């Protein structure tokens, strides 16, 4: 079984570091990717790291993950609260799915309190800043390891 994890990022996260830093922090997405690569390597995971402002591209990456990846860490950003299509795509994926939000969405506007993706996610991390991605990767590694160790 592969030890590849897709780390997927939704709309506006390309502006991380510049966009509302009081909410999302000063780190850029490139900084997050570099940290993810270090943590993934320490768990023996490979990662593919992607960001898109287009819903269909995220869906296409989830479809690609079905064939080659053992897990998905996803920050769907605003699509969290709107996208049945991303939920449907995640429901076709068999490995662990970890949902990450940089901010604590539950402390924010009511429309951010509902997540379609949570109906599929095996775990949800919110409000831990960009460290949430690293926590998501650690959890993905543990779930992948448990699956590999389970008797067939
Ligand atoms: C990022 C966004 O862009 C928002 O639309 C979500 C999420 C929250 C985050 O905290 O990472 O509501």
């Amino acid at each position: 079984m592969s030890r590849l994890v897709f780390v997927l990022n939704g709309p506006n996260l390309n502006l991380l570091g510049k966009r509302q830093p009081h909410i999302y922090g000063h780190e850029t997405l490139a900084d997050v990717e570099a940290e993810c690569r270090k943590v993934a390597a320490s768990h023996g995971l490979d990662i593919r790291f992607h960001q898109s402002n287009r819903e269909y591209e995220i869906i296409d990456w989830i479809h690609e993950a079905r064939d080659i990846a053992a897990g998905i860490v996803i920050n769907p950003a605003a699509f969290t609260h709107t996208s049945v299509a991303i939920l449907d795509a995640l429901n076709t994926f068999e490995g662990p799915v970890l949902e990450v939000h940089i901010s604590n969405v539950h402390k924010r506007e009511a429309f951010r309190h509902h997540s379609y993706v949570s109906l599929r996610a095996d775990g949800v991390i919110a409000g831990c800043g960009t460290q949430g991605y690293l926590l998501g990767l650690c959890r993905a590694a543990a779930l992948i390891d448990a699956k590999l160790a389970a008797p067939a």
Side-chain angles (χ1 to χ4, degrees):
M1 193 181 145
S2 97
R3 290 186 65 80
L4 177 64
V5 174
F6 275 39
V7 183
L8 301 179
N9 292 278
N12 301 304
L13 289 168
N14 53 312
L15 296 180
L16 202 61
K18 297 179 196 146
R19 166 200 187 205
Q20 296 177 285
H22 57 291
I23 296 176
Y24 298 107
H26 291 277
E27 265 189 309
T28 66
L29 200 61
D31 296 331
V32 174
E33 179 174 356
E35 288 303 309
C36 282
R37 291 199 178 280
K38 281 189 215 157
V39 167
S42 75
H43 288 283
L45 299 176
D46 294 319
I47 60 169
R48 298 245 175 116
F49 194 97
H50 296 296
Q51 186 275 333
S52 183
N53 297 324
R54 300 171 187 85
E55 194 175 19
Y56 77 87
E57 245 173 344
I58 294 168
I59 293 164
D60 286 349
W61 286 322
I62 295 168
H63 292 176
E64 190 186 345
R66 276 166 50 78
D67 296 325
I68 57 175
I72 295 176
V73 173
I74 183 165
N75 182 349
F79 291 148
T80 307
H81 319 296
T82 63
S83 183
V84 176
I86 289 177
L87 168 64
D88 285 350
L90 288 169
N91 275 331
T92 74
F93 181 76
E94 284 181 5
V97 173
L98 284 307
E99 176 183 349
V100 173
H101 305 289
I102 297 165
S103 64
N104 182 355
V105 282
H106 299 289
K107 241 177 144 177
R108 301 180 63 194
E109 302 96 320
F111 66 82
R112 294 184 204 275
H113 298 176
H114 177 261
S115 165
Y116 284 102
V117 170
S118 291
L119 292 167
R120 167 61 181 88
D122 297 293
V124 182
I125 298 149
C128 295
T130 54
Q131 197 184 9
Y133 289 85
L134 312 181
L135 300 171
L137 277 171
C138 290
R139 181 64 182 159
L143 292 173
I144 291 165
D145 287 344
K147 217 170 166 180
L148 288 171

